[in-house]
Amino acid sequence: MRKKLIELLVNGERREVAVKGNDTLLELLREKLGLVGTKEACGVGECGACTVLKDGKPVLSCLTLAADAAGSDINTIEGLAQGDELDPIQDAFIRHGAVQCGFCTPGMILTAKELLAREKNPGKTQIRQAISGNLCRCTGYVKIVEAVQAAGRGDGHE
Amino acid sequence: VSFADAINLFQRTHGGSPLVAKGSYNSPDPLSPTYSFGAYVCEVAVDLRTGEIEILKFTLAHDCGQPLNPMSVEGQIEGCIGMGLGYAISENLRFDGGQTLNPSFLGYGVPTANQMPPIEIIHVVSDDPHGPFGAKETGEGSLDPTTPAVINAVYNATGVRIKDLPVTPEKILKGLKEKKK
């Protein structure tokens, strides 16, 4: 299949990638750019593990065609920390024990990132609704909700 | 001397071979060295017209020995409540002649964040002589009582005893109808 050169911003960095028509954004990130923090679990858009931010909105990268991401601004889990300084949500996840096996964590954090960008101090119900498209088998979601709430309150760094 | 230094010293003086120690332990009980205990209470509301179940709250006490990291203990228990709830009311692996009929997360029914009830955890602290630093377990022991707690709550609310999982509105309505006869 013929490849096409596309240009996009990934974690603030301009990248040029040759993609096939049927490449997904997930494949672009993991296989072409080596950003394996984005996880593939179901691969058919049911679990939310592959969530990344595309122009600030959470999208399922397994269902997004790489070609459709041309010209867009993509944020993955690798882009959240500033040097050694973790993002407040990442920090809150650690402090609240919100990570067990960790496979849902990147998607959860990026979904939460978008929620906190539009909602300063969300309540538990709002958080539960926002992350309801991200499946977690380990935690029962309680600690994840607590971590997002703490990050929203600004007490991630306690 | 620190642990890292000790390993370093050993490896340098033994041709780089790893430091290996062997030990053995015989459990006093042939099944398990120790047992954890718990009491799990589930509160449900059942709509008698539609059979729909709403899980209102879980309250539970779990004896995991000495909780070495109470936050992790809670995390394990909460995970078990999620899994047990799915087992009780939504998860169902359906087969037809060896063929899985619902081979997807969408069809299987793993609970989502907005389906989880409030959970109140009471740590029962005990000191187990067999476990590490007095601890026992909390990973799986919390899963077992979750589902029966839901089923018993449904029985308490409706008088319908469900014997095959998951409990669905259809099964509850069928049970209610049979009870009326």
Side-chain angles (χ1 to χ4, degrees):
Chain A
M1 199 182 286
R2 267 182 57 197
K3 289 189 177 180
K4 200 182 159 189
L5 209 58
I6 63 161
E7 220 182 78
L8 69 170
L9 270 184
V10 178
N11 298 328
E13 212 177 301
R14 190 162 293 284
R15 309 294 293 250
E16 250 187 19
V17 193
V19 299
K20 290 187 303 224
N22 62 352
D23 278 343
T24 63
L25 177 58
L26 177 72
E27 286 165 337
L28 182 155
L29 293 169
R30 287 184 60 89
E31 289 159 28
K32 297 187 194 294
L33 300 182
L35 296 172
V36 292
T38 305
K39 303 299 177 200
E40 176 176 20
C42 71
V44 290
E46 294 174 350
C47 71
C50 67
T51 304
V52 298
L53 298 182
K54 178 171 176 269
D55 298 321
K57 295 276 168 232
V59 296
L60 298 167
S61 64
C62 75
L63 291 188
T64 306
L65 287 174
D68 274 343
S72 63
D73 180 2
I74 304 294
N75 275 92
T76 71
I77 193 73
E78 286 91 346
L80 288 195
Q82 304 292 321
D84 284 343
E85 182 90 359
L86 289 180
D87 185 272
I89 306 175
Q90 291 175 308
D91 196 64
F93 263 61
I94 295 170
R95 285 173 194 283
H96 288 264
V99 180
Q100 283 186 27
C101 89
F103 215 80
C104 73
T105 310
M108 283 285 184
I109 289 180
L110 288 163
T111 303
K113 184 86 187 153
E114 191 269 338
L115 171 69
L116 296 185
R118 67 181 146 88
E119 204 66 53
K120 275 279 163 289
N121 198 353
K124 284 205 159 81
T125 313
Q126 217 174 350
I127 297 168
R128 287 182 181 283
Q129 200 62 40
I131 63 166
S132 62
N134 294 73
L135 291 182
C136 171
R137 193 45 149 166
C138 306
T139 64
Y141 306 100
V142 180
K143 303 287 184 228
I144 295 175
V145 173
E146 283 173 13
V148 176
Q149 199 171 29
R153 280 198 307 258
D155 52 4
H157 300 272
E158 274 153 20
Chain B
V1 61
S2 76
F3 185 66
D5 287 343
I7 301 288
N8 213 332
L9 186 70
F10 178 87
Q11 292 206 317
R12 269 191 281 127
T13 51
H14 290 77
S17 67
L19 175 58
V20 178
K22 278 184 193 167
S24 66
Y25 170 78
N26 280 322
S27 160
D29 183 316
L31 275 179
S32 169
T34 185
Y35 296 88
S36 62
F37 301 92
Y40 287 59
V41 178
C42 175
E43 293 167 54
V44 300
V46 182
D47 188 322
L48 295 178
R49 284 172 309 168
T50 63
E52 199 187 341
I53 311 151
E54 192 187 348
I55 309 288
L56 302 175
K57 194 186 172 186
F58 250 94
T59 309
L60 62 100
H62 187 81
D63 163 23
C64 72
Q66 187 69 40
L68 302 182
N69 179 339
M71 186 173 74
S72 290
V73 171
E74 285 169 16
Q76 287 294 314
I77 292 172
E78 288 151 2
C80 286
I81 300 291
M83 251 192 225
L85 266 188
Y87 185 37
I89 63 170
S90 62
E91 291 175 31
N92 191 10
L93 198 56
R94 297 198 307 273
F95 289 100
D96 181 20
Q99 179 98 15
T100 308
L101 295 177
N102 53 342
S104 70
F105 287 127
L106 216 57
Y108 177 66
V110 176
T112 56
N114 53 350
Q115 293 169 334
M116 288 293 294
I119 301 167
E120 190 183 330
I121 297 172
I122 300 157
H123 293 290
V124 179
V125 179
S126 62
D127 190 10
D128 190 81
H130 299 287
F133 307 103
K136 293 195 280 193
E137 69 80 43
T138 190
E140 309 270 314
S142 320
L143 179 55
D144 299 335
T146 301
T147 308
V150 177
I151 308 308
N152 286 339
V154 168
Y155 176 69
N156 185 266
T158 62
V160 175
R161 178 55 82 186
I162 305 281
K163 290 179 179 165
D164 66 317
L165 295 173
V167 183
T168 58
E170 290 85 352
K171 287 178 192 169
I172 290 179
L173 284 184
K174 196 170 156 240
L176 284 171
K177 216 183 247 173
E178 275 165 15
K179 214 162 59 97
K180 262 192 204 147
K181 275 180 195 167

